[in-house]
Structures are given as structure tokens and as C-alpha cells.
Amino acid sequence: MKVTIEIDCTPLEARQYFGLPDVQPMQTAMLAEMEKRMTAEAAKLSPEGLMNAWFLNSAQGADWFRDMLRGFFAKADSSDVLADKQAGQKRD
């Protein structure tokens, strides 16, 4: 024997029928707290926030940033020289 029961109700009505608590106020409060935290963390990743973290907090941050840029441009310059050499060899 097979019995099928179809119930047409909203999730809120089902929770009330089974005596489960209404979690809507807690969910609203948790989402508001999560939004506040995410906004605060996203502000740290703004260009202004990154520059403050790198330069204002310590002199080492400025030195690190300068060294990072030097390394980046040195690699870019050496790859350009290598590409020029390879292009010159192909012409010969």
C-alpha cells in the first residue's frame, strides 16, 4: 500500500504546527552583525586602508613596499632584456 500526503503550507506555518521556535528575529540580528563585520573588513582592503597599513604603522612597511616594487620592476626589466635577446636570435 502506498499513501501520499500533500501539505500546502508556508515554512512558517509548518514550524508553528510542529512547535518549533520562530528564528526570524535571531536571523535578522545575525545577518545585521555579519553585514557590519564584512563592511569593516572590506574597508581595510580599500586602497586608502592598504596604504595606511603599509606606511603609517611602521617604517618597515615603507621599506618592504619599496623593496617589493624594486623586485617587481627588476624582474620586468630582466624579462624585457630576455625577450629582446630571443627576438634578436630569431632574426639571425
Side-chain angles (χ1 to χ4, degrees):
M1 176 191 275
K2 182 177 181 180
V3 177
T4 303
I5 299 174
E6 187 174 322
I7 300 173
D8 185 24
C9 67
T10 66
L12 178 61
E13 291 170 339
R15 282 193 299 272
Q16 289 172 346
Y17 177 77
F18 288 111
L20 297 173
D22 183 18
V23 295
Q24 186 65 33
M26 182 183 67
Q27 182 182 16
T28 303
M30 290 299 294
L31 286 175
E33 178 66 23
M34 286 178 58
E35 182 179 354
K36 184 176 82 173
R37 287 183 182 187
M38 289 177 66
T39 303
E41 291 299 318
K44 291 179 184 176
L45 296 176
S46 69
E48 183 179 327
L50 289 174
M51 290 299 152
N52 285 338
W54 287 343
F55 295 117
L56 294 181
N57 292 337
S58 70
Q60 293 175 348
D63 294 340
W64 171 82
F65 189 71
R66 184 189 65 229
D67 293 342
M68 181 188 68
L69 288 178
R70 275 189 191 154
F72 174 74
F73 288 120
K75 287 180 183 178
D77 187 42
S78 66
S79 65
D80 289 345
V81 170
L82 181 61
D84 290 343
K85 285 182 182 179
Q86 290 174 349
Q89 289 175 356
K90 288 181 182 178
R91 289 185 207 145
D92 294 336

